[in-house]
Amino acid sequence: MDKRILIVLTSHDDLGGVRKTGYYVSEAAHPWEVFRRAGFEVEVASVRGGRAPQDGFDPQDPAQVDFLAAVGERDTPRLEGLDASRYDAVFYAGGHGTMWDFPRDPDVARVGREVYERGGVVAAVCHGPAALVNLTLSDGTYLVAGKRVAGFTNDEEKAAGVADVVPFLLADALVGRGARHEPGPDWQAQVVVDGRLATGQNPASAAPLAEEVVKLIR
C-alpha cells in the first residue's frame, strides 16, 4: 500500500497588523520534496481551503519554485470534512499565520488526533506546533503532555521582532500543556522525535524533520 502524507497549511494572512504573513513556503516545500523523493503520495490542505497565503518565498530555491508550481498557486482543499484515515502522517507546516488559526481550528486538532490514534505520525515544524497546543486525544489528555518537543523559541521570536505581536509564545504554550521543550541554537536545525511525534524548531529544521518522518513511516 502506498504511504500518504498530508501537509497542513495556515489560512491566516495577517501578522497582528504589522505585515502580511501565511505559511512559510520552505517549510512546506522542503518536506514535500523529501516525501515525494521517498516515494510517498503527498496531499496539501489548508484550514479554510482555497489558495493559502504565503510568506518567506525564495525564488532562488528550486524546491520552493517546484512546490508553488505544483501546489502553491492552486486552491487547496479545506480541512473540514477531510478523511484523516487516508493518511499515514500529518505534517503541520509553519509560518506566523499558524499562531492565529491552528490552535483554534477544531479540524486541525481532529486530523492530528485521528492520524495519531490510528498509529500514524504527527509532525510539525517552526510555528507549526501551534497545532499541538490544543490537540487533545480521545481521553482528553494533550498529545504533547510528557513528550519532548521542538518549536520556534522565545529567543527566535524576539530576534524576529514580533514577540510582542504574536498572540502567545509558542515554546511557553507547549510547556504549559506539559511538553518538554528542547531548544537548539537560534536558526540552526533542531529536530526532536518522541515516539510518533516529530517536531522541528525553525525553517532550517524542515527538511531534516521530514527525513525523520520518512524513517518513522517506513
Side-chain angles (χ1 to χ4, degrees):
M1 174 186 149
D2 291 336
K3 300 295 185 181
R4 185 182 289 121
I5 299 178
L6 177 68
I7 296 176
V8 178
L9 308 178
T10 179
S11 294
H12 186 88
D13 68 354
D14 174 33
L15 182 51
V18 173
R19 63 174 177 83
K20 288 297 185 184
T21 187
Y23 74 92
Y24 208 71
V25 177
S26 68
E27 295 173 17
H30 291 166
W32 179 79
E33 182 180 59
V34 168
F35 297 148
R36 284 167 52 87
R37 198 168 59 228
F40 297 163
E41 192 175 329
V42 188
E43 296 180 11
V44 180
S46 63
V47 174
R48 290 202 304 268
R51 187 171 166 185
Q54 302 162 6
D55 198 0
F57 171 58
D58 178 4
Q60 303 302 313
D61 181 356
Q64 295 185 46
V65 172
D66 290 349
F67 176 79
L68 290 189
V71 178
E73 305 302 334
R74 302 179 185 180
D75 283 350
T76 55
R78 184 175 181 150
L79 270 186
E80 185 181 9
L82 217 60
D83 180 6
S85 70
R86 299 176 61 243
Y87 305 105
D88 300 280
V90 57
F91 188 101
Y92 297 102
H96 270 104
T98 64
M99 296 286 284
W100 277 267
D101 61 357
F102 273 15
R104 295 202 304 250
D105 187 78
D107 288 286
V108 167
R110 174 188 64 83
V111 169
R113 176 171 53 251
E114 292 180 4
V115 167
Y116 191 79
E117 291 187 338
R118 286 184 64 255
V121 175
V122 171
V125 68
C126 198
H127 289 92
L132 308 176
V133 170
N134 289 321
L135 201 169
T136 54
L137 301 176
S138 295
D139 63 4
T141 61
Y142 290 105
L143 171 60
V144 298
K147 291 192 174 64
R148 299 161 47 243
V149 299
F152 206 63
T153 68
N154 294 356
D155 285 346
E156 286 170 322
E157 206 71 87
K158 290 170 188 167
V162 291
D164 297 328
V165 177
V166 289
F168 58 91
L169 292 174
L170 179 56
D172 291 354
L174 292 168
V175 171
R177 297 306 196 209
R180 290 180 16 226
H181 182 247
E182 298 186 353
D186 290 1
W187 315 117
Q188 303 300 307
Q190 168 76 347
V191 174
V192 174
V193 177
D194 193 332
R196 289 179 289 107
L197 176 65
T199 46
Q201 179 171 311
N202 45 33
S205 310
L209 174 61
E211 298 283 7
E212 293 300 322
V213 172
V214 169
K215 292 178 193 171
L216 287 170
I217 292 176
R218 281 182 169 156

